[in-house]
Amino acid sequence: MGKWRHGEEILKVFLMPFSILAIFAHPDDEVTVGPLLARYARLGHRVRVVAVTAGQKGVRPHTSYAAGHELGAARMEEFRRACACLGIEPPIVLRFEDGEVAARGVIDQIIGELNGVVADLQPDVVITFGPEGASGHTDHRIISSAVTELAQTPGCRVRKLYYVAYPAVHDPDAAGDLLRRAMLARPVDTSLLTTTVDCREDLEAADQAIGCHLTQWEPALMDSWSALNRTVLGGFVSLRLALSRVQVRAREDDILEGL
């Protein structure tokens, strides 16, 4: 069954590669679904990531960067390297101000710019944060809302919208600790997860991408993320289907199902 499934995926790409777009708030947010992005790029689909801000205010004590343009430039370069490690197309950075995306007028501007990106790229599938923002970060939550508003707009051609969703775990001494160290403070009840994709072949690429974000993560945090992907999640990436214009099963193992 596994060999047939792999052959089916190759045939699907040969007939019609799909376009997948992930939209997040900051450079480094893409690691939340790094193995998934690498998987679909490896299979021949068009995969791209948008960061709404350059992360200009993401100051970390282990670096010498202050908030501002220089930090934003460094993070954008790390972002480019991470996308290259994942094997996906170069990223798009909209350059809104980090931490200042919540104002009504700014949200409207973000939706307007994202609408232009979606019109240009015509993605079949869009991935973003859920309303909890994975870590509870305000910017993450705002981008979730903006992307959801865009995807449900009449005339939008996005066929499926997914939310990043980390399953709730019940082992406070091991898995739960890794989730906390990775700052994923808002897990999702497993009964609400709709999609679980096998990304075990793409963990090495995900590890390499994680290692690019030197201005954000110390080695211990990088190790926690890698361990989370490998030991807690077992190389599988979970998502929640938020909107769909195609018929799908209640439980999927492929974000391209139904397309």
Side-chain angles (χ1 to χ4, degrees), residues 115 118-119 122-123 149-159 245:
N115 185 53
V118 168
Q122 297 186 15
E149 182 175 339
L150 173 61
Q152 69 186 18
T153 301
C156 180
R157 299 180 66 180
V158 172
R159 299 164 77 184
R245 292 181 169 89

Side-chain angles (χ1 to χ4, degrees), residues 110-152:
I110 291 170
I111 293 173
E113 292 204 25
L114 288 176
N115 185 53
V117 172
V118 168
D120 288 343
L121 300 181
Q122 297 186 15
D124 299 285
V125 174
V126 169
I127 302 168
T128 192
F129 288 117
E132 80 291 338
S135 65
H137 195 303
T138 299
D139 287 1
H140 295 183
R141 290 174 164 177
I142 292 298
I143 299 312
S144 171
S145 177
V147 175
T148 303
E149 182 175 339
L150 173 61
Q152 69 186 18

Side-chain angles (χ1 to χ4, degrees), residues 134-195:
S135 65
H137 195 303
T138 299
D139 287 1
H140 295 183
R141 290 174 164 177
I142 292 298
I143 299 312
S144 171
S145 177
V147 175
T148 303
E149 182 175 339
L150 173 61
Q152 69 186 18
T153 301
C156 180
R157 299 180 66 180
V158 172
R159 299 164 77 184
K160 298 173 85 175
L161 171 67
Y162 286 95
Y163 291 153
V164 175
Y166 280 85
V169 294
H170 304 288
D171 184 353
D173 296 324
D177 184 54
L178 280 174
L179 282 167
R180 284 191 296 274
R181 279 188 276 158
M183 297 185 291
L184 297 169
R186 302 290 191 277
V188 175
D189 190 292
T190 54
S191 68
L192 301 177
L193 303 181
T194 62
T195 311

Side-chain angles (χ1 to χ4, degrees), residues 8-21 36-48 86-89 124-125 254-256 259:
E8 187 181 35
E9 289 172 338
I10 293 173
L11 179 61
K12 187 180 288 187
V13 173
F14 178 76
L15 292 174
M16 182 173 58
F18 292 99
S19 176
I20 299 165
L21 179 65
L36 183 88
L37 302 178
R39 178 187 193 274
Y40 285 99
R42 174 175 56 80
L43 292 174
H45 299 287
R46 295 178 54 216
V47 182
R48 201 144 193 192
L86 294 172
I88 68 178
E89 296 181 18
D124 299 285
V125 174
D254 181 3
I255 64 173
L256 303 179
L259 299 183

